[in-house]
Amino acid sequence: MSGSDSRNINEVENYDALLRANLQRVFNERDAQKRIAAVHELFAGTPTMYEPAGIVTGRAAISEVAGALLDQFGADFAFVPEGPAVGHHGLGYLRWHAGPSAGPVVVSGVDVAEIKAGKIVRLWVLLDAPQG
C-alpha cells in the first residue's frame, strides 16, 4: 500500500457479503417491512439505482422497485447469485440469473455497485442480451 492510502488492509469492503445480501434480502424479499429494513442496512442514505428502464433514487423507491419485480414475476421467482462477488477500491460486481425455481432462466445479468463505508451508494443493474 502506498503512503497516501489511509485504509488498513482489514478495512477492505466485503463485496461478496454485501452484494449477496442485496440480492437475497432486498430483491428476493417479499415482505415489504423486512425488505425496507434491509435496504436501510445495506444502502447509503440517498442511494441511486440505474436500471435499463430508468433511474431510481432513494431507499424507499429501491425497495418498491424490488417488490414490484417480485409481484410481476410471481411467488416462485428468485434471483440466484453466480459465483462470488468481486471488487476493489469501492467498486464491486455480482453476476446473477433469475427465474422460477423449476427453471428456465428468465433473465440474467450483473449488479455493479459503488460502495462507500460498507454501504451501496450507487447500483447499476446490467442485463445480459436475450438468448435465442
Side-chain angles (χ1 to χ4, degrees):
M1 275 197 280
S2 70
S4 63
D5 187 353
S6 62
R7 289 169 46 130
N8 180 306
I9 193 72
N10 294 325
E11 294 177 286
V12 173
E13 308 293 350
N14 188 338
Y15 296 95
D16 188 56
L18 182 60
L19 291 174
R20 282 176 180 272
N22 175 57
L23 204 61
Q24 187 61 41
R25 297 178 53 214
V26 176
F27 286 88
N28 279 339
E29 181 55 67
R30 286 175 164 69
D31 182 297
Q33 289 183 332
K34 288 180 181 178
R35 186 174 53 249
I36 192 66
V39 170
H40 278 270
E41 181 184 328
L42 303 172
F43 284 79
T46 308
T48 303
M49 181 172 69
Y50 302 90
E51 294 186 297
I55 299 171
V56 179
T57 303
R59 290 171 169 165
I62 289 171
S63 179
E64 289 169 14
V65 165
L69 275 173
L70 292 170
D71 289 345
Q72 175 186 349
F73 289 110
D76 199 27
F77 184 87
F79 291 91
V80 179
E82 294 180 359
V86 296
H88 58 82
H89 295 95
L91 185 69
Y93 78 90
L94 176 64
R95 175 156 286 290
W96 51 262
H97 66 269
S101 62
V105 170
V106 173
V107 64
S108 62
V110 63
D111 288 343
V112 178
E114 177 185 355
I115 299 166
K116 289 185 182 172
K119 304 271 187 173
I120 299 170
V121 177
R122 295 191 293 171
L123 178 67
W124 289 264
V125 178
L126 306 174
L127 302 181
D128 292 332
Q131 300 297 312

